[in-house]
Amino acid sequence: MRQLEILAEGQGEYHPVDPDGFRQWVRDHKKRALVPKLMTEKEAIEKFVQDGDYLVYECNYLQRGPAALIREIIRQRKKNLWLGAKFTWVAAALLVEAGCVSKMDVGFFLFGPVVEKAAKEGRIKIYEYSNVVMTNRIKAGAMGIPFIPVRSFGGTDGFKYSGAKIIRDPYTGQPTVIVPALNPDVAIIHVHQADVYGNARIFGTGISDAEAALASRKVIISAEEIVDTEEIRRNPGLTVIPYYCVDAVVHLPFGAYPGEMAGRYASDVEHVVEVVGRTMRGGLQEYLEKWVYGVESHHEMLDKLVGWRKLQQLLQRATIKEGYLP
Amino acid sequence: MIQMHPAKGEKAAYFNEREHQICVMARLIEDGKTYWVAGGGTPMASILLAKKLYAPNAVYVTEDGVLAPEPALPLDPIMTMVSSRASYRALQWGTMNSVGFHAQVGLMDYGILNTLQVDPYGNINSTLLGSYEAGEYRRFGGPGGADSIASLCWRTILMTDHQKRKFVPRVDFISSPGFLDGSPGARERAGLPRDTGPYLVLTPWALFDYEDRYLRLIGISPFVTVEQVLAEMSFRPKVAPQLLTLETPTEEELTILRTEIDPRGQVTIIGDIGRWIQRREDGTYAPAEEGRGGGNPNLPRSW
């Protein structure tokens, strides 16, 4: 019998791997019946995001991501979150500035003084991965397995500060990198369409939306549009996320603002440039005061700070529709 | 020997180093091959220019799973991925996992990347400058997709600036693997796929390949000397016996780059574009006295 040999291992802490524990959670918490799950963003975040949770957001604050839900997490001043910071421009910095974060698994994020200061002062711990290794970890979580072999990441310094290992693969005899499966406590995902049960459609590309929905203990969907379940049944091939993964559905038109929602509205260029600049150079607190703490809800933000005229412009600038209509 | 498409037609009399680098990269793109490119910035501009002029059947994918798009240019700031314009008329819309798996099974011929630092073995740092162990460092964004590109594509091409602080004997942090310690089989011992690794490094001044897994100068731009190239590196690369000349941009290349690919100057005007170069009356090239340029400090380099 060939022994499975561990050749090297990273020293980074990782979110505990427990596929049976996850199955048990799924058995006890995920509703199999078609139960309406519509609620406000305030209710959804209050109910399903707890201090200390491991959080993944799919896509990011600027690109078809759950920007409104991220703002609500900040507004409710959640604490000690562990972020899966893959494919991130400004979201990680916003959450760190707001004091919501104590740990981050990094694939990529836009770095600036906020996170640097927090890391150097020991307020947050950073563990190193890559974007694809992070989505592969979520894929493993979605498969219900404890780890996944990957053909990248070996030989890097990131490996040393991660939960990865190199094993001698018992099938090929070759050195092979394995990384721990990731089952986040909570995933927040912004979609084009969903029904009240959580059957969700996404048009266009993505990062690991379907995998994160399947891998996470609690799943909050925000949708541009709530559609009838008859519409879902009319074209089942378009369902990217099935209802029984989903715990909450929030109707949030312009929920990706200031980012682009491909096929629906363009990004608000001035806003994007401002928040990116503040992330790189500092000044995010003022941003949060205005755009998050200064309003009660996403709808109030759209009414008071964005306005009908701007929203119309963003709709008009989204001229490409091919592929985004069911 | 490296194959390059010849630069045909009239040469431009005035251009900047960033434009020059993109035009040279475009001439290095092989037709009919797949490229996994970093979203935005010089890699994407290069492959788009190549597809217009030299390699119409070159295919590229981005990290969000866009396969072979015909993007609607220009793109809004940052909207190089998960956006309708960047992913327009693709053959498939996938995900980060799908493109990662396409590369993992060997479908990606080339990857093109940017970086902060590179060492003689092609190891790439995009994580931090300083010491991770000591906690004294200036932090950057992390590998993003670069680690997967550098691990999984058959050949990896790096585009970076020609500066002493970028070409270092040892990178401060290996974010994405090159030939690691340079010994034969080092990548395989680290679990990486066989026969992959660094292939070229292109700066505005010079082109490098690898000989026995060690960086080797093989070409230089006509507005610099070999001495200048070597002086702006913190280690001495191998030097090929005969050096290619990296032809300066043609009028046609620049016109397409400036009007179709980057009409807002997001890559070639704003930010760090190097020096402006002009052709002198004797036909030689030299830095211009006064350069245009400037930039928007609110935006990162690759957008």
Side-chain angles (χ1 to χ4, degrees):
Chain A
M1 194 170 73
R2 182 139 51 177
Q3 291 290 321
L4 197 158
E5 187 187 350
I6 295 175
L7 304 173
E9 52 189 343
Q11 300 304 313
E13 182 191 1
Y14 50 90
H15 191 56
V17 175
D18 181 13
D20 278 332
F22 182 67
R23 279 176 57 84
Q24 204 171 339
W25 174 276
V26 167
R27 182 188 66 196
D28 297 342
H29 293 85
K30 297 285 183 182
K31 293 186 173 65
R32 275 67 160 175
L34 289 166
V35 181
K37 296 158 189 161
L38 264 185
M39 58 188 83
T40 65
E41 76 264 34
K42 185 164 184 289
E43 290 169 326
I45 300 298
E46 270 174 7
K47 192 165 176 193
F48 293 111
V49 181
Q50 271 78 45
D51 290 352
D53 274 356
Y54 193 111
L55 171 74
V56 288
Y57 38 83
E58 279 304 313
C59 296
N60 61 59
Y61 196 76
L62 305 176
Q63 294 157 318
R64 211 260 291 141
L69 294 178
I70 290 171
R71 284 188 291 268
E72 183 60 28
I73 287 173
I74 295 171
R75 197 176 288 119
Q76 292 191 19
R77 300 180 190 270
K78 298 294 181 182
K79 293 276 180 284
N80 293 321
L81 300 177
W82 188 341
L83 295 189
K86 60 184 162 48
F87 186 58
T88 291
W89 287 100
V90 303
L94 287 171
L95 286 157
V96 170
E97 171 72 38
C100 301
V101 181
S102 60
K103 297 173 186 174
M104 285 170 60
D105 288 342
V106 169
F108 167 77
F109 68 111
L110 186 64
F111 211 78
V114 170
V115 186
E116 179 145 303
K117 193 155 180 284
K120 285 182 174 167
E121 290 174 3
R123 283 181 282 126
I124 61 167
K125 286 184 188 161
I126 296 182
Y127 308 106
E128 310 287 343
Y129 294 91
S130 72
N131 280 342
V132 172
V133 165
M134 285 299 293
T135 58
N136 285 181
R137 292 183 62 199
I138 294 169
K139 176 85 181 169
M143 293 168 76
I145 56 178
F147 62 86
I148 190 167
V150 298
R151 302 302 307 281
S152 58
F153 202 46
T156 65
D157 284 327
F159 176 93
K160 298 177 196 165
Y161 306 102
S162 75
K165 302 175 194 290
I166 298 181
I167 59 166
R168 186 167 303 286
D169 163 33
Y171 294 97
T172 63
Q174 302 290 325
T176 301
V177 176
I178 59 171
V179 291
L182 180 55
N183 289 111
D185 293 307
V186 58
I188 54 175
I189 304 170
H190 189 61
V191 306
H192 288 79
Q193 296 178 324
D195 70 6
V196 296
Y197 309 117
N199 293 299
R201 291 169 166 177
I202 293 168
F203 304 106
T205 63
I207 303 304
S208 49
D209 303 271
E211 299 91 321
L214 200 47
S216 300
R217 288 180 179 230
K218 297 168 288 182
V219 175
I220 304 172
I221 300 285
S222 59
E224 290 291 326
E225 186 185 357
I226 301 298
V227 297
D228 199 273
T229 303
E230 280 308 304
E231 170 62 21
I232 299 288
R233 291 190 187 279
R234 194 180 62 77
N235 200 341
L238 296 181
T239 305
V240 173
I241 297 169
Y243 75 97
Y244 54 26
C245 301
V246 177
D247 296 279
V249 179
V250 185
H251 184 204
L252 288 174
F254 292 97
Y257 179 90
E260 173 179 346
M261 189 74 192
R264 297 231 169 194
Y265 47 87
S267 65
D268 182 344
V269 172
E270 286 170 20
H271 189 138
V272 167
V273 170
E274 185 195 334
V275 70
V276 166
R278 286 178 181 273
T279 299
M280 293 197 306
R281 292 182 292 107
L284 280 177
Q285 197 58 41
E286 293 85 341
Y287 178 88
L288 294 179
E289 291 294 342
K290 176 177 175 186
W291 292 97
V292 183
Y293 305 129
V295 288
E296 291 282 318
S297 68
H298 179 63
H299 287 96
E300 189 182 321
M301 183 200 78
L302 293 180
D303 281 346
K304 289 192 176 164
L305 299 178
V306 186
W308 182 85
R309 182 190 294 265
K310 168 70 86 175
L311 295 177
Q312 289 304 310
Q313 288 168 358
L314 301 182
L315 290 170
Q316 283 163 11
R317 283 187 54 233
T319 53
I320 294 173
K321 302 297 179 190
E322 295 99 310
Y324 301 102
L325 300 170
Chain B
M1 198 63 183
I2 297 296
Q3 295 293 311
M4 282 181 91
H5 307 284
K8 288 185 203 140
E10 196 185 336
K11 293 292 193 59
Y14 193 73
F15 54 89
N16 65 49
E17 291 182 323
R18 184 70 62 229
E19 291 171 326
H20 171 66
Q21 184 186 26
I22 291 166
C23 293
V24 173
M25 187 64 240
R27 290 180 227 126
L28 285 162
I29 300 290
E30 196 179 343
D31 203 22
K33 297 290 185 184
T34 44
Y35 287 80
W36 183 357
V37 297
T42 51
M44 193 183 272
S46 303
I47 190 126
L48 291 170
L49 180 60
K51 285 178 67 62
K52 299 257 186 199
L53 282 177
Y54 302 117
N57 298 308
V59 163
Y60 77 91
V61 304
T62 51
E63 210 182 335
D64 58 332
V66 175
L67 171 59
E70 295 173 3
L73 302 170
L75 308 178
D76 286 339
I78 310 289
M79 300 304 142
T80 56
M81 283 188 265
V82 203
S83 86
S84 58
R85 300 181 74 84
S87 48
Y88 189 47
R89 289 181 51 78
L91 294 178
Q92 190 191 18
W93 284 341
T95 66
M96 186 174 284
N97 267 330
S98 72
V99 68
F101 295 142
H102 294 189
Q104 200 157 270
V105 300
L107 280 165
M108 294 305 140
D109 295 310
Y110 292 93
I112 313 180
L113 297 170
N114 291 132
T115 192
L116 283 175
Q117 283 184 325
V118 61
D119 71 15
Y121 309 108
N123 299 307
I124 292 169
N125 175 15
S126 46
T127 301
L128 58 88
L129 297 175
S131 167
Y132 201 91
E133 296 287 348
E136 289 172 7
Y137 53 79
R138 185 167 169 224
R139 173 82 205 209
F140 293 85
D147 167 61
S148 307
I149 292 175
S151 297
L152 303 174
C153 297
W154 290 103
R155 291 170 158 178
T156 308
I157 299 170
L158 189 63
M159 298 178 77
T160 190
D161 290 340
H162 205 99
Q163 295 167 357
K164 236 181 157 95
R165 63 192 175 93
K166 294 211 172 246
F167 287 87
V168 293
R170 263 180 90 99
V171 292
D172 293 349
F173 193 96
I174 300 178
S175 313
S176 307
F179 292 114
L180 301 176
D181 65 4
S183 63
R187 284 173 65 91
E188 289 81 353
R189 286 194 297 280
L192 304 179
R194 191 163 65 209
D195 296 337
T196 56
Y199 177 58
L200 297 174
V201 176
L202 177 66
T203 76
W205 291 9
L207 179 65
F208 304 85
D209 68 359
Y210 292 84
E211 186 182 61
D212 295 330
R213 299 168 301 281
Y214 197 94
L215 200 71
R216 179 177 74 158
L217 179 65
I218 59 169
I220 68 165
S221 297
F223 47 87
V224 289
T225 63
V226 173
E227 291 69 34
Q228 280 176 295
V229 165
L230 297 178
E232 273 294 334
M233 299 174 72
S234 298
F235 62 88
R236 190 175 170 87
K238 296 183 184 182
V239 179
Q242 286 200 312
L243 295 180
L244 298 166
T245 299
L246 307 179
E247 296 291 337
T248 56
T250 66
E251 289 288 359
E252 186 183 26
E253 286 171 339
L254 278 192
T255 301
I256 292 173
L257 184 57
R258 290 173 180 175
T259 62
E260 295 179 39
I261 294 170
D262 190 29
R264 295 180 190 154
Q266 285 158 281
V267 182
T268 58
I269 297 289
I270 297 168
D272 183 6
I273 53 163
R275 303 171 302 174
W276 287 84
I277 306 293
Q278 62 185 354
R279 189 176 57 219
R280 293 183 295 205
E281 286 184 3
D282 63 0
T284 61
Y285 292 86
E289 294 292 315
E290 296 277 327
R292 297 189 276 139
N296 184 342
N298 278 346
L299 289 167
R301 267 284 298 283
S302 295
W303 54 284

